[in-house]
Amino acid sequence: MINKQRLLDKFIELVSVPCPSKDEKAEADLIIKKLAEIGIKAEVDEAGVKSGSTTGNVWAFIPANVDYKVPGLMFEAHMDSVAPTTGTKVVRKDGVLYSDGTTTLGGDDKVGIAASLEAVKVILENNLPHGDIQLCFTIGEEIGSIGVRHMDPSWIKADIGYCLDEGLAPGYVNNAAPRSVKVFVKITGKAAHAGVEPEKGINAIMLAAQALTALPAYGRLDDETTLSVGKIEGGLASNIVAPNAEFVIDMRCLNPDKLQTLIDSTVQLIKETVAKGGGTADITVEEGSPAMSISESDPGVVFVKEAAAKLGLPFKTFKSGGCTDGNYLCGMGLPCVALSTGMDKIHTTEECLKEEDLYNLTRLIVEIINAAAKKK
């Protein structure tokens, strides 16, 4: 039912447009044009203004054509790609799409955009029954999901969300991802000449080392929790007892309450350790992504399972330690899972995508829409 050549051409056109984070206007304009060609008017929200980007998130809405109530669906993908992302030239080899090696391919996440656009076109041109369909293409996902973080939740009109931004083959569903936070620690000691009177100083770098050494564990704490010290700096010069030091801890857990307990205990431990050494610790906890936790019995997951079975695709749910725009949509109250798209070796110039995965993702979206539109 899908038009493979049309879909492939669409994907190649989408990745050929420059789309660095916070400068996705050319990509947004192309998407708006593609939507207009199939009779769909797109809107752009204020996320770009709020974040200092050249465009906002692109939205489109296709009203239901059935006279009975079915859940509305949102399909979401991001418009930006990691550098180098300008001047992408697609190379086809043995059924796999690559760049020419000078840029990333941009399948992360143009595969989600191309598949969504083609799926909607197939639905409309074949007059297939469907509930409300909402498309959302976001900005700045690669630099911290700034598009969804600056999104007005009132724009969301769906009951179920699908974030099209995972690796693995279509049919796999990420239904659990962690709440994440960054813990910024600033330690203040006391400067002194390191050679003349070091005993009069309080070395903030050493206090930071003691605080980090006091942590009971780091890395993977258990099967749902991680803690990583990702950045540390401090001091003024080698001949000065360091009066300050800073470090940043990344914490993630699939269980939000469990993460909060870890945050509280870590903050207390650091403060107590630094105080014993005569310094002070100023600690700020910055929220990252909310947790995504969707049951396998949730309708959104069930629709994927039914669609995959109809297409003969493998179906499997999995959890991830990473975060997507889907986490933030869940935090806004939209039950959302992340669908695998086939993207591979992302964030490198070796990025690739099997053509069949592009086609299967599109077929899967069509069948998810069909599954959701069934009269109960």
Side-chain angles (χ1 to χ4, degrees), residues 163-175:
C163 173
L164 309 171
D165 191 20
E166 276 289 354
L168 303 177
Y172 284 71
V173 180
N174 174 10
N175 66 324

Side-chain angles (χ1 to χ4, degrees), residues 322-352:
C323 304
T324 67
D325 283 350
N327 286 66
Y328 293 92
L329 293 173
C330 283
M332 294 176 191
L334 178 69
C336 184
V337 295
L339 299 185
S340 292
T341 66
M343 59 175 73
D344 193 20
K345 298 181 180 178
I346 61 171
H347 297 191
T348 76
T349 55
E350 297 178 348
E351 182 186 358
C352 58

Side-chain angles (χ1 to χ4, degrees), residues 70-74 131-134 157-161 334:
V70 297
L73 307 180
M74 175 195 282
D132 291 340
I133 302 171
Q134 190 168 31
K157 306 301 182 185
D159 303 300
I160 296 169
L334 178 69

Side-chain angles (χ1 to χ4, degrees), residues 240-295:
I240 302 174
V241 174
N244 51 61
E246 301 181 11
F247 57 88
V248 184
I249 302 176
D250 180 285
M251 294 186 191
R252 305 177 184 220
C253 187
L254 294 172
N255 184 323
D257 294 336
K258 184 176 177 180
L259 181 62
Q260 189 59 53
T261 299
L262 177 64
I263 294 168
D264 294 342
S265 63
T266 301
V267 167
Q268 181 179 354
L269 178 62
I270 292 172
K271 286 187 172 182
E272 289 177 351
T273 302
V274 172
K276 287 178 182 178
T280 59
D282 180 26
I283 302 178
T284 302
V285 179
E286 180 182 287
E287 286 291 336
S289 63
M292 177 175 74
S293 181
I294 308 297
S295 167

